[in-house]
Amino acid sequence: MSSFIETINGYLWGLPMIAFLFLTHILMSVRTGFIQRKVFKGIRLSLGKDKSTKDGISPFSALATTLASTLGTGNIIGVSTAVALGGAGAVFWCWLTGLLGMATQYCECVLSVRFREKDSKGEYQGGPMYVLKNGVGSKALGRVYASLAAVAGLITGAAIQTNAIKETVLESVISRNKEFDDPSVISLCAGTVVAVLTALVIFGGLKSVATVCSMVVPFMAVAYTLGCLLILLINREMVCESFVLIIKDAFSLKSATGGFMGSALMLSCRYGVSRGLFSNEAGIGTSSVICANANTDSPAKQGLISMTATFWDTVVMCLITGLAVVSTGLCCDVSDTQGAMLCMTAFSRIPYVGKGVLVFSMIAFAFSTILGWSAIGEKFIVFLLGEKAAKPYRAFWVMTIFISSFVSLEGIWALGDLINGILVVPNVAGLLLLSGKVRDITRSEKGIGA
């Protein structure tokens, strides 16, 4: 099955999809007057207070919850895997996907706020499914999107993240006790603890999730970023050479020999773009679900705030992760190291606490993603089945977490890539059809329009 999915992904994430995404990002950039230049205004807005309405969550809470859903294993395992499979050049394509994708993320959020609805409790409901329903005028297409996204949430938001926590804890235990030979104990403990902690948060609803994410996300992001910067300081003699290698390898037409550094252009581009999309979700549209709940009457301002999630997630964090991995590869022999272990090797460069920082970051990132995605996935189910389905879905989410800690997820990343690729089509179709609306909203907003 894994081989079959990889074969499909080979076509799905070939030149047509890469060109489709890049052209969409470029078109959204042009339509918005290259809104990326307003990123620092978005950062300032995210730290302020918006008292325009009494409903929903604060703009910062919306951003923190969005970051919680995107700052996950994609920033660590995803980038490391991209480098292992696509070469150093994958870092460049991942970074460029984030830089251009900021405009797409902005457009997704603007439309989600513009076409959101209020439910019977007076709470906002929004996202690509509502954009397709109220903006494009196709409820059927909205239901198709919501159905696929709900499955994607269970895979990328629950199964992958829970398994990552279990594997991280197991790896840590084995490294300390070589005689340990009962992984089922770790699976039981990890599955139980994560499931219980998740239940305590998500059964309080979106506001409970947003409150926890607002406290956890800044702390974990700073801790991981400082770890990567310390690695770059230790590898400082190779940092400039790493930049050169990343750019050179990104446009290499034939593979180099030996080690993980070699990569052909298409392979580098494919894994860089797909991992970048997995990390920030710009083009998929799922992260715009939370921003529609923000306590604001300005779609454009909330769009700027939402855009900063892609900036922090991919433009900054995926880049420094990639640099840490590539510079370590130039300092050490990593020819026999694969995937996530590249990141472990990089953090091992930090004396005494390096592995501990990575273990903490992996667990914190994965857990925050579980929380953020639970809130997003719930919105899809509510759209499909109504408000009565919210609590049963939360229970099913917790059950999925527990089961995932026992199941081998070989090939699950490939399945995540497959569903993400499919989700791009209806979401981007809505963006293209309504890009003129985004342009008009952007131009009409004082201080934001070109």
Side-chain angles (χ1 to χ4, degrees):
M1 180 61 72
S2 296
S3 177
F4 175 69
I5 293 173
E6 280 288 0
T7 300
I8 296 176
N9 283 340
Y11 293 102
L12 182 63
W13 287 104
L15 182 59
M17 176 61 82
I18 292 172
F20 180 57
L21 271 175
F22 267 81
L23 289 174
T24 299
H25 291 338
I26 292 171
L27 177 61
M28 295 303 111
S29 297
V30 173
R31 281 285 197 173
T32 59
F34 288 91
I35 199 69
Q36 293 95 327
R37 60 194 173 87
K38 300 282 187 177
V39 64
F40 294 109
K41 181 179 180 66
I43 294 173
R44 290 196 301 271
L45 288 172
S46 70
L47 300 176
K49 293 183 178 180
D50 190 333
K51 300 180 180 180
S52 54
T53 69
K54 296 181 180 180
D55 307 301
I57 57 179
S58 71
F60 178 76
S61 294
L63 173 62
T65 308
T66 299
L67 277 170
S69 67
T70 57
L71 281 176
T73 53
N75 296 82
I76 302 175
I77 298 177
V79 174
S80 299
T81 303
V83 173
L85 298 177
V91 177
F92 171 82
W93 294 111
C94 182
W95 177 82
L96 188 60
T97 299
L99 184 65
L100 294 174
M102 288 167 64
T104 302
Q105 177 90 344
Y106 168 84
C107 294
E108 289 171 346
C109 182
V110 167
L111 292 174
S112 290
V113 175
R114 170 64 180 79
F115 293 107
R116 64 187 178 181
E117 299 177 357
K118 280 190 175 182
D119 59 22
S120 61
K121 298 178 183 178
E123 297 178 353
Y124 288 119
Q125 302 289 343
M129 57 283 197
Y130 289 94
V131 173
L132 293 169
K133 173 190 171 187
N134 301 326
V136 177
S138 175
K139 186 175 182 179
L141 194 56
R143 294 183 70 84
V144 169
Y145 178 91
S147 300
L148 289 170
V151 176
L154 291 171
I155 293 173
T156 62
I160 286 180
Q161 309 304 328
T162 303
N163 208 258
I165 292 175
K166 184 257 294 193
E167 291 295 334
T168 300
V169 174
L170 181 61
E171 207 51 57
S172 179
V173 170
I174 292 176
S175 66
R176 293 175 181 273
N177 184 5
K178 301 295 184 182
E179 297 180 357
F180 183 81
D181 60 355
D182 191 2
S184 62
V185 174
I186 298 300
S187 296
L188 177 62
C189 292
T192 301
V193 171
V194 175
V196 170
L197 291 177
T198 301
L200 290 174
V201 177
I202 69 174
F203 276 96
L206 176 59
K207 290 187 178 181
S208 175
V209 172
T211 299
V212 174
C213 290
S214 297
M215 294 186 293
V216 173
V217 168
F219 178 71
M220 72 177 192
V222 169
Y224 178 73
T225 301
L226 289 176
C228 287
L229 291 177
L230 186 55
I231 294 170
L232 294 179
L233 179 63
I234 295 171
N235 297 342
R236 58 188 176 276
E237 294 182 358
M238 293 297 178
V239 171
C240 290
E241 189 173 341
S242 297
F243 271 110
V244 173
L245 178 62
I246 287 170
I247 299 299
K248 182 179 178 180
D249 198 46
F251 298 96
S252 174
L253 295 178
K254 66 177 184 178
S255 300
T257 56
F260 72 99
M261 298 299 181
S263 161
L265 173 60
M266 277 307 301
L267 198 62
S268 171
C269 193
R270 174 199 164 185
Y271 283 106
V273 172
S274 64
R275 290 298 183 261
L277 180 61
F278 185 93
S279 173
N280 60 53
E281 299 172 18
I284 301 177
T286 49
S287 59
S288 67
V289 170
I290 297 300
C291 78
N293 289 267
N295 184 15
T296 182
D297 282 336
S298 172
K301 286 183 179 179
Q302 190 58 41
L304 286 182
I305 294 172
S306 180
M307 181 180 74
T308 64
T310 301
F311 174 76
W312 294 121
D313 180 86
T314 309
V315 176
V316 175
M317 298 194 70
C318 283
L319 175 62
I320 62 173
T321 299
L323 279 173
V325 169
V326 173
S327 61
T328 298
L330 292 174
C331 294
C332 312
D333 180 13
V334 295
S335 57
D336 296 325
T337 308
Q338 297 297 322
M341 293 308 298
L342 287 173
C343 220
M344 182 64 77
T345 302
F347 271 82
S348 296
R349 301 276 291 169
I350 304 176
Y352 307 112
V353 299
K355 290 184 177 180
V357 171
L358 182 61
V359 168
F360 166 78
S361 298
M362 283 285 292
I363 294 174
F365 277 35
F367 182 64
S368 71
T369 300
I370 289 171
L371 295 182
W373 252 105
S374 70
I376 294 173
E378 182 178 315
K379 299 295 183 181
F380 297 132
I381 295 300
V382 168
F383 179 82
L384 292 168
L385 304 176
E387 297 171 40
K388 65 181 182 298
K391 289 186 178 179
Y393 177 78
R394 294 171 192 172
F396 184 71
W397 186 270
V398 173
M399 184 176 66
T400 301
I401 289 171
F402 183 75
I403 294 173
S404 297
S405 64
F406 291 92
V407 179
S408 174
L409 297 182
E410 184 179 354
I412 197 68
W413 280 93
L415 185 58
D417 281 345
L418 175 63
I419 296 180
N420 284 342
I422 296 172
L423 282 174
V424 167
V425 178
N427 179 62
V428 171
L431 289 179
L432 294 176
L433 290 171
L434 298 170
S435 61
K437 177 69 71 175
V438 177
R439 178 199 59 204
D440 295 340
I441 292 173
T442 303
R443 289 178 176 177
S444 65
E445 191 74 30
K446 184 177 180 181
I448 294 178

